[in-house]
Amino acid sequence: MSGNSCRRGQAGTERYSAVLGVIAFSCGAIILYWQSELPPLAFVLAIFITAFCIVVRSGSRFVRHVAFALIGGCAGIGWALWHAEVRLEERLPADMEGVPVSVSGYVCDVPSPGSFQSLKFSFCVTQWHQAGDIASNRVLPKTLRLAWYNADDRWMPDHRLHLTVVLKRPHGSLNPEGFRYENWLYRNGYRATGSVRALQVDMEVPCGLRCQYANLHGQMARWVQAEFAEARNASMVASLLVGYRGELEPEQWALLQSTGTIHLVAISGLHLGLVALGATLVAGGVVRRVPVSWLDETARRHWVFAIMAISCLCYALLAGFTVPTQRALIMALVVGWSLLVARTGGAWRPLVYALGTVIFLDPFAPLDQGFWLSFTAVAVLVWVFAGRLRQPGWFRTLLMAQCGVFAGLWPVLLLMGQSQPLAGALANLVAIPWVSFVVMPLLMAAGVLTAIFPALGLLFVPVLDLALDVFWGWLGFVSAFPFPATFRGALAVTLFAVMVLVALWVPSASLRLAAGLLAGVWLFRADPSTGNVFVSEPEVRVWDVGQGLSVLVRHQRDVLLYDTGPELPGVFSAVESVIEPNLRALGVSRINQLVVSHADTDHAGGLTRLSDTFEIDSVVSGEPGEARQRMASGVAVAPCRQVQTNVGELKVDFWQSSVGSEGNDASCVLRVRSVRLGVEWVLPGDISRETELEYLAHSAGTWQDSVYRVMIAPHHGSKTSSSRAWVAYIRPDVVVFSAGYRHRFGHPHPSVTRRYREFGAVPFSTACSGALTMSADKGRVNVLETWHDTPFWIGAEGQTREACKLP
């Protein structure tokens, strides 16, 4: 007995060390992506060897556990580091930007419609042509993200192509919070983006396994679109059946987002989990009927797992084998193996092994928001349901799961700069089971039977439309409710989540009720966002919104927002992607003054969303009629008049040309001053040279040489603005160009940047620096560039931002 107990104890210790090592491996890989610079591989290797020697020689259990953790952590860092360095080696030389080059390869995803009658697609390069000596010592990008404008068809002429493309290095808006396109490009392996200038079929391109699969999946997407083209919800059918979401309308995306149900159209854990559950139940029922003399218990479990694994793999391949689908497949296989074959004790161990396996097979997974949401959701469900002596009924199980996931994911979403719509708790309560147990089985049956008997496709169309109409109808019904905004501070959200999870976990009914009531009271009463955060010194932020402008001015509790950046419906909104998450992160819930310089779309985008999301005290615009049409109903817009207001202690002077009544010259010009600190900012909108002279005549005699002055360059640095008289008279100490990276307009113009430098101005560009944070000091303005505080794939030596220079 003693020997058996000793062996069991040793086995338990080894299992504990293995779990600890997997956790440390995962943490090591995750930590790497928080670094601004990659650590030396030799340093990581030295720690790994030292820890390994300790494991071999030490007899202390505690010391061995610590050493195992170090080994796992170093292995995780080293594994992620190696993959990161390989990916960073792929680099488009700066000399190849904007130059037409020829490439051959194949389309490696399903093209989707984009803006301006374009098709967007991923292109896997098999050969670069005419790269010349420029790239002789470079590892050129293997995967490109391309747009084909003025496309004649919604599909490519073939999957193997010879293209003439114009490329640029990975680049996107760079702000402290909000969506970062560069993160998405790096995570998915796109090391250059660009547009197609010429296209022709090239059947000489070698087509391996990945190429053949991409072609097959594209044909499958075409087949689904053709077979179910008569359906009102054809776009949703393609999304759920083959993972093709390119045809979903902007209104549908908006409804999914407002109700927190976007996860239902992304083939991920929910869908693979349903396939795994269904396959396991069917396979188990069949295997149980096989005589025991043919299959023993172990063989039965292996057969059930094999059928489940094959079913999940087939559906993952059908759905496009995207990154979220691959992650969900790994999780399903690891958990299925643990439960059906290995039969390991405890519910947490399979989750830990799944975490380690996902990171091992995909070291870039921690850069994906879905990675954190998936594992957090599963961890919440394990916390709520594991270890219960008696499982609740189906409705109570559904309610508990929904409440737990809603509360558990809220802090994670908040850390990602996203909100958690309160409507999601109600919408998912019906939408998840409806999609899981009605829509998905119907779709699977329709797909399989239509493939075998094509004539049945038309018979399934009305049934699918009815099922999906119920889904959309429910979401529309929920979205119509006047749910309060769910934004709260990090502490409030975390405490709410803890209270909900405690309420779901504790066995005592009275304690559950008490914790649930306390969480409800906290949710609706504890709102720290009733006012703006106090700022002791004046601060100005120029957001990086690409080709556009948006500037935040704040002091004490007063906030002024000048312009809202561009908006392209269904593609990009600076308000949604940049302004809203950054204002939330800064503790801004009320905009005291909104100034819309003029009505151009790169200055006045997203006004409806902004006025629906934030309380706005007053709105002023150089073109009030056009701005009023874009605001939420009932919001008044005043014309720009020559008046003075305050933002804290800052004096804000308004001015508008008496000649220009529309377009660029109608811009409302602001001059923001701090008399105490001797600093000022000039925000001139898009005024032209003629209007510049008019403004100088109006403000003559008010410009003091002793004042430290920051200028937002008129019209993004266009050569039609920033005249020599304008620059020489105002003589800014700092000039900021808010423009897109390598934009077709070519802003800022080289002659303009030379002119500002000639008169002593230090130039900054949001295209190179990202968002700029300017803090006022006595007689000086300190400028902080966002790109200096970015991860290694953005801010490291040789990357796009480091090499970006003003002309």
Side-chain angles (χ1 to χ4, degrees):
M1 292 293 294
S2 176
N4 291 335
S5 299
C6 182
R7 284 191 292 272
R8 284 195 299 268
Q10 184 177 359
T13 300
E14 291 174 353
R15 285 195 297 268
Y16 178 79
S17 297
V19 171
L20 184 63
V22 172
I23 294 175
F25 174 87
S26 304
C27 292
I30 291 170
I31 289 173
L32 180 75
Y33 294 107
W34 292 351
Q35 308 305 309
S36 58
E37 295 182 4
L38 291 174
L41 183 59
F43 177 73
V44 177
L45 185 61
I47 298 178
F48 179 87
I49 294 174
T50 302
F52 181 79
C53 294
I54 293 174
V55 169
V56 173
R57 299 185 63 84
S58 176
S60 170
R61 182 178 299 179
F62 173 76
V63 173
R64 288 169 63 88
H65 286 329
V66 172
F68 265 114
L70 285 174
I71 290 174
C74 290
I77 294 175
W79 184 246
L81 176 60
W82 177 60
H83 283 82
E85 289 181 338
V86 169
R87 180 157 292 183
L88 290 179
E89 284 180 0
E90 292 183 35
R91 191 180 306 169
L92 183 75
D95 293 341
M96 291 181 66
E97 287 190 292
V99 178
V101 295
S102 296
V103 293
S104 294
Y106 57 91
V107 179
C108 41
D109 68 354
V110 180
S112 60
S115 57
F116 306 111
Q117 195 183 347
S118 67
L119 280 177
K120 294 188 175 182
F121 61 98
S122 302
F123 191 73
C124 293
V125 180
T126 57
Q127 184 179 1
W128 289 80
H129 304 281
Q130 303 171 349
D133 297 332
I134 295 177
S136 58
N137 297 320
R138 300 278 188 178
V139 179
L140 294 175
K142 297 180 178 65
T143 309
L144 310 176
R145 185 64 177 170
L146 300 176
W148 181 25
Y149 291 95
N150 299 316
D152 298 329
D153 194 5
R154 61 192 296 183
W155 303 104
M156 308 298 291
D158 198 270
H159 69 292
R160 290 186 286 181
L161 302 169
H162 181 105
L163 306 178
T164 300
V165 294
V166 175
L167 302 174
K168 61 182 179 180
R169 308 173 94 183
H171 191 281
S173 297
L174 185 59
N175 297 278
E177 303 293 336
F179 175 72
R180 286 185 178 178
Y181 185 50
E182 284 172 83
N183 288 5
W184 183 83
L185 291 174
Y186 176 77
R187 191 265 175 275
N188 290 281
Y190 301 118
R191 302 301 292 148
T193 64
S195 59
V196 177
R197 294 293 177 88
L199 177 152
Q200 64 183 23
V201 176
D202 186 359
M203 301 308 293
E204 299 299 322
V205 171
C207 194
L209 183 61
R210 184 183 179 189
C211 170
Q212 294 177 19
Y213 167 71
N215 181 41
L216 182 62
H217 184 247
Q219 292 178 358
M220 183 67 68
R222 293 192 189 194
W223 177 82
V224 170
Q225 289 280 351
E227 291 296 327
F228 299 99
E230 300 299 323
R232 292 188 303 274
N233 295 289
S235 59
M236 195 67 173
V237 171
S239 175
L240 293 175
L241 198 57
V242 293
Y244 176 61
R245 300 185 293 277
E247 300 291 340
L248 288 174
E249 298 294 333
E251 296 78 12
Q252 293 175 314
W253 282 114
L255 184 57
L256 291 167
Q257 184 180 36
S258 65
T259 54
T261 52
I262 285 183
H263 65 97
L264 293 176
V265 299
I267 307 300
S268 56
L270 173 65
H271 307 81
L272 265 295
L274 289 171
V275 172
L277 178 62
T280 300
L281 293 176
V282 172
V286 172
V287 169
R288 278 195 298 270
R289 288 168 172 78
V290 177
V292 178
S293 58
W294 291 11
L295 292 175
D296 59 17
E297 182 61 25
T298 301
R300 291 171 189 269
R301 293 199 300 269
H302 280 84
W303 273 105
V304 171
F305 172 76
I307 295 172
M308 183 273 288
I310 293 172
S311 301
C312 289
L313 178 61
C314 290
Y315 182 64
L317 292 172
L318 179 68
F321 214 60
T322 59
V323 170
T325 308
Q326 294 173 29
R327 182 178 60 248
L329 175 64
I330 295 169
M331 292 177 66
L333 295 181
V334 173
V335 173
W337 175 268
S338 300
L339 298 179
L340 294 173
V341 179
R343 301 177 72 94
T344 56
W348 291 102
R349 192 176 300 163
L351 181 61
V352 170
Y353 290 156
L355 174 66
T357 306
V358 166
I359 292 180
F360 178 79
L361 296 178
D362 181 14
F364 302 102
L367 296 176
D368 198 350
Q369 291 185 357
F371 168 85
W372 298 96
L373 298 178
S374 297
F375 278 101
T376 301
V378 175
V380 167
L381 295 177
V382 172
W383 166 267
V384 172
F385 294 108
R388 288 181 176 269
L389 296 177
R390 186 179 63 180
Q391 293 298 328
W394 70 268
F395 180 75
R396 189 178 167 196
T397 297
L398 179 64
L399 187 62
M400 291 172 64
Q402 179 57 38
C403 291
V405 171
F406 176 84
L409 292 184
W410 196 352
V412 180
L413 288 169
L414 190 64
L415 290 173
M416 295 176 179
Q418 300 180 18
S419 60
Q420 172 78 298
L422 194 59
L426 179 60
N428 281 291
L429 190 63
V430 173
I432 288 178
W434 183 258
V435 170
S436 303
F437 303 115
V438 177
V439 175
M440 289 302 298
L442 281 174
L443 279 173
M444 293 293 183
V448 172
L449 293 177
T450 302
I452 300 173
F453 308 105
L456 293 180
L458 292 177
L459 298 179
F460 275 106
V461 165
V463 179
L464 293 174
D465 273 334
L466 177 61
L468 289 169
D469 283 345
V470 171
F471 170 76
W472 290 117
W474 170 250
L475 296 190
F477 173 75
V478 172
S479 66
F481 278 90
F483 287 101
T486 59
F487 173 77
R488 301 291 192 275
L491 179 60
V493 168
T494 303
L495 290 176
F496 167 75
V498 169
M499 286 186 283
V500 171
L501 294 179
V502 168
L504 295 172
W505 179 74
V506 295
S508 171
S510 58
L511 289 177
R512 284 200 302 269
L513 179 61
L517 290 175
L518 185 61
V521 171
W522 186 267
L523 174 63
F524 290 103
R525 297 291 183 182
D527 186 3
S529 62
T530 54
N532 297 330
V533 169
F534 185 85
V535 180
S536 59
E537 293 295 337
E539 181 184 89
V540 174
R541 293 175 182 253
V542 183
W543 302 121
D544 181 8
V545 293
Q547 185 67 25
L549 179 66
S550 182
V551 181
L552 174 71
V553 180
R554 63 176 184 157
H555 184 222
Q556 297 173 2
R557 297 191 187 276
D558 292 344
V559 169
L560 181 149
L561 183 65
Y562 184 83
D563 284 347
T564 55
E567 179 183 43
L568 191 60
V571 179
F572 175 77
S573 167
V575 167
E576 179 182 355
S577 300
V578 178
I579 297 174
E580 182 179 337
N582 280 280
L583 291 185
R584 293 299 193 195
L586 293 173
V588 174
S589 60
R590 176 185 292 272
I591 299 172
N592 303 102
Q593 299 179 62
L594 171 62
V595 181
V596 182
S597 64
H598 61 302
D600 282 3
T601 55
D602 58 336
H603 291 253
L607 289 177
T608 302
R609 182 181 178 96
L610 186 74
S611 55
D612 283 337
T613 307
F614 292 90
E615 294 186 43
I616 303 176
D617 293 338
S618 67
V619 184
V620 175
S621 177
E623 295 182 284
E626 290 82 351
R628 189 177 298 112
Q629 294 176 4
R630 303 180 191 181
M631 302 290 292
S633 59
V635 178
V637 181
C640 181
R641 298 187 177 93
Q642 295 179 13
V643 297
Q644 184 180 91
T645 62
N646 293 331
V647 176
E649 72 166 26
L650 296 172
K651 306 295 183 183
V652 183
D653 297 316
F654 290 72
W655 180 86
Q656 186 181 25
S657 170
S658 59
V659 178
S661 59
E662 62 181 9
N664 292 341
D665 284 325
S667 295
C668 189
V669 179
L670 264 59
R671 186 177 173 188
V672 182
R673 296 177 291 158
S674 172
V675 177
R676 175 177 63 89
L677 297 174
V679 298
E680 67 180 12
W681 291 265
V682 182
L683 286 65
D686 277 357
I687 61 175
S688 65
R689 294 184 176 190
E690 293 75 14
T691 306
E692 290 173 356
L693 296 178
E694 183 185 352
Y695 180 66
L696 291 179
H698 164 79
S699 60
T702 64
W703 304 93
Q704 301 178 19
D705 293 337
S706 59
V707 171
Y708 193 94
R709 191 168 295 118
V710 178
M711 167 82 71
I712 307 299
H715 201 187
H716 318 287
S718 167
K719 64 180 179 180
T720 62
S721 303
S722 296
S723 64
R724 190 172 189 83
W726 169 267
V727 179
Y729 197 93
I730 296 180
R731 289 183 179 270
D733 297 277
V734 171
V735 61
V736 177
F737 300 99
S738 180
Y741 179 72
R742 302 190 69 88
H743 196 269
R744 67 181 186 277
F745 292 150
H747 296 156
H749 194 272
S751 63
V752 173
T753 58
R754 284 196 301 268
R755 190 173 301 137
Y756 278 105
R757 287 191 179 103
E758 179 183 346
F759 287 94
V762 178
F764 291 91
S765 169
T766 55
C768 297
S769 303
L772 296 168
T773 301
M774 292 177 273
S775 56
D777 203 349
K778 185 64 175 178
R780 182 172 181 80
V781 173
N782 300 312
V783 182
L784 177 64
E785 302 171 84
T786 300
W787 86 272
H788 288 305
D789 186 26
T790 53
F792 58 84
W793 59 88
I794 296 177
E797 181 179 355
Q799 300 307 307
T800 308
R801 299 281 174 168
E802 191 269 342
C804 181
K805 306 295 180 185
L806 279 168

